Amino acid sequence: MARPDKAAAVAELAEQFRSSNAAVLTEYRGLTVAQLKTLRRSLGENAQYAVVKNTLTKIAANEAGISTLDDLFNGPTAVAFVTGDPVESAKGLRDFAKDNPNLVIKGGVLDGKALSADEIKKLADLESREVLLAKLAGAFKGKQTQAAQVFQALPSKLVRTVDALRAKQAEQGGAE
């Protein structure tokens, strides 16, 4: 009777791995239920935090084509499945771990690439996607403004040069 339940759990976990942009494995030993609830809220709307069984999750990850996490499935494990901006969730995990040292970030995967705990912390140091896009748009706008100024300067410089040539010719013509 336990076999169909386990198969269903593996299938559900495998689907979560496939549909997520990122997955972060953590050790939650020593955290209370209230603290886990707070952690779930801090991850944002686009992340789901689930306490999992190591063996079933390892099988599910392998079924989803992720074999780089195999070494991390030891001890009490929970996975944050991120479907939105991974930076927001990484910040939530990092900030929660600062306040609650019992939460240990083991590692994870982002778009199929394995990440160490340090790389996840570096990811948390990035600005959000929206902020980075706004900065990029600002940079493009600045470059357009510079280009417009250059294009406006060319005709006025040409006019000044032509006027200077006319004045010089007039001086030379009047001096003869």
Side-chain angles (χ1 to χ4, degrees), residues 11-106:
E12 183 180 337
L13 286 168
E15 182 54 34
Q16 284 183 311
F17 274 113
R18 284 187 203 102
S19 64
S20 299
N21 298 343
V24 180
L25 275 66
T26 63
E27 183 175 322
Y28 63 94
R29 186 187 330 253
L31 294 176
T32 65
V33 173
Q35 289 173 320
L36 287 174
K37 190 174 182 181
T38 304
L39 172 59
R40 284 185 175 99
R41 272 191 248 118
S42 72
L43 292 178
E45 299 173 0
N46 299 321
Q48 181 183 356
Y49 189 74
V51 174
V52 295
K53 292 186 180 274
N54 288 332
T55 306
L56 298 180
T57 309
K58 185 176 180 179
I59 293 168
N62 286 326
E63 280 185 16
I66 302 169
S67 60
T68 57
L69 301 176
D70 289 353
D71 297 338
L72 303 178
F73 291 112
N74 50 30
T77 303
V79 182
F81 294 103
V82 182
T83 55
D85 185 10
V87 173
E88 179 186 355
S89 297
K91 283 182 185 188
L93 284 168
R94 178 200 61 197
D95 295 344
F96 188 86
K98 282 181 185 176
D99 297 335
N100 301 284
N102 287 335
L103 180 73
V104 177
I105 299 172
K106 295 180 178 182

Side-chain angles (χ1 to χ4, degrees), residues 92-156:
L93 284 168
R94 178 200 61 197
D95 295 344
F96 188 86
K98 282 181 185 176
D99 297 335
N100 301 284
N102 287 335
L103 180 73
V104 177
I105 299 172
K106 295 180 178 182
V109 63
L110 174 64
D111 293 328
K113 180 186 177 285
L115 297 175
S116 69
D118 289 335
E119 289 172 321
I120 292 171
K121 290 174 185 168
K122 286 180 186 173
L123 181 66
D125 291 336
L126 289 176
E127 292 171 332
S128 71
R129 183 176 190 270
E130 290 77 22
V131 171
L132 291 174
L133 288 174
K135 284 185 175 184
L136 182 64
F140 282 138
K141 185 176 179 184
K143 294 297 180 189
Q144 289 175 339
T145 303
Q146 287 176 346
Q149 290 171 347
V150 167
F151 291 135
Q152 288 175 348
L154 289 175
S156 63

Side-chain angles (χ1 to χ4, degrees), residues 153-171:
L154 289 175
S156 63
K157 188 174 183 180
L158 177 67
V159 168
R160 285 192 305 268
T161 305
V162 169
D163 285 343
L165 282 173
R166 281 187 191 148
K168 186 174 183 180
Q169 286 177 348
E171 283 178 16

